Amino acid sequence: MKSEPSSYSIEDLQDEQKTRWDGVRNFQARNFMMNEMNVGDEVLFYHSNAKPSGVVGIAEVSAEAIPDVTALNPRSEYFDPKSTRENPRWYCVEVQFKKKFPHIISLQDLRKNKSLQGMVLLQRGTRLSIQPVTASEFTAILKMNQI
DNA sequence: GCCAACGTTGGC
DNA sequence: GCCAACGTTGGC
């Protein structure tokens, strides 16, 4: 899961411990939250638009997707007039803080790791804010954290 | 700040 | 259903 640290960082999650991953306004990303993410699933927390960008820690899905109420609030920056209480358009899971890495695993480092070449994040033109990670990719990144 | 790549919208 | 125009993302 990507987030710009200037808007919500791993440190913010560490402070809060839990947060609803609201504000996602992309159907593919929403569908991942609704269909693919289950309570207990581990999540890589990625800082985008950062110096440098990269994986900064681990969270865990603590509640399955529920309607994103920020879409209903006209004063929210995430307001979407097409979403209604009866027919919610956007959903969000809740995530729980697990771990902050001692140092960031930068995008550059990820690209250097041969076992990650197929990772969605590293493919050309991938902008999705929520992406699938395979078990072996996840393990490979954890190993990089130990170096 | 630039810009490539992609997603969404809306006219037709 | 096509596609041009526009908006957004995010690395650099």
Side-chain angles (χ1 to χ4, degrees), chain A residues 10 13 18-19 21 33 39 42 61 66 71 80-81 115 118 133 143:
Chain A
I10 186 89
L13 182 60
K18 279 183 181 180
T19 192
W21 206 260
M33 287 199 283
V39 174
E42 289 191 300
V61 177
I66 57 167
D80 180 355
S115 54
V133 178
K143 272 187 194 152

Side-chain angles (χ1 to χ4, degrees), chain A residues 51-64:
Chain A
K51 292 174 187 171
S53 295
V55 179
V56 288
I58 296 174
E60 181 179 311
V61 177
S62 51
E64 64 184 33

Side-chain angles (χ1 to χ4, degrees), chain A residues 10-54:
Chain A
I10 186 89
E11 290 82 11
D12 292 328
L13 182 60
Q14 187 167 26
D15 289 345
E16 285 194 305
Q17 285 296 307
K18 279 183 181 180
T19 192
R20 282 194 199 166
W21 206 260
D22 54 18
V24 170
R25 295 294 177 267
N26 171 287
F27 289 106
Q28 237 182 314
R30 180 205 68 178
N31 292 343
F32 277 125
M33 287 199 283
M34 290 179 76
N35 306 325
E36 309 292 337
M37 296 173 74
N38 300 305
V39 174
D41 284 353
E42 289 191 300
V43 170
L44 296 173
F45 198 113
Y46 180 91
H47 280 175
S48 61
N49 253 322
K51 292 174 187 171
S53 295

Side-chain angles (χ1 to χ4, degrees), chain A residues 72 83-88 91:
Chain A
L72 305 174
S83 191
T84 63
R85 206 163 285 280
E86 299 71 34
N87 198 2
Y91 282 74

Side-chain angles (χ1 to χ4, degrees), chain A residues 101-116:
Chain A
F101 292 160
H103 31 247
I104 186 168
I105 302 171
S106 71
L107 183 58
Q108 230 176 1
D109 290 340
L110 295 172
R111 289 198 192 283
K112 280 188 220 151
N113 188 331
K114 285 217 171 66
S115 54
L116 296 178

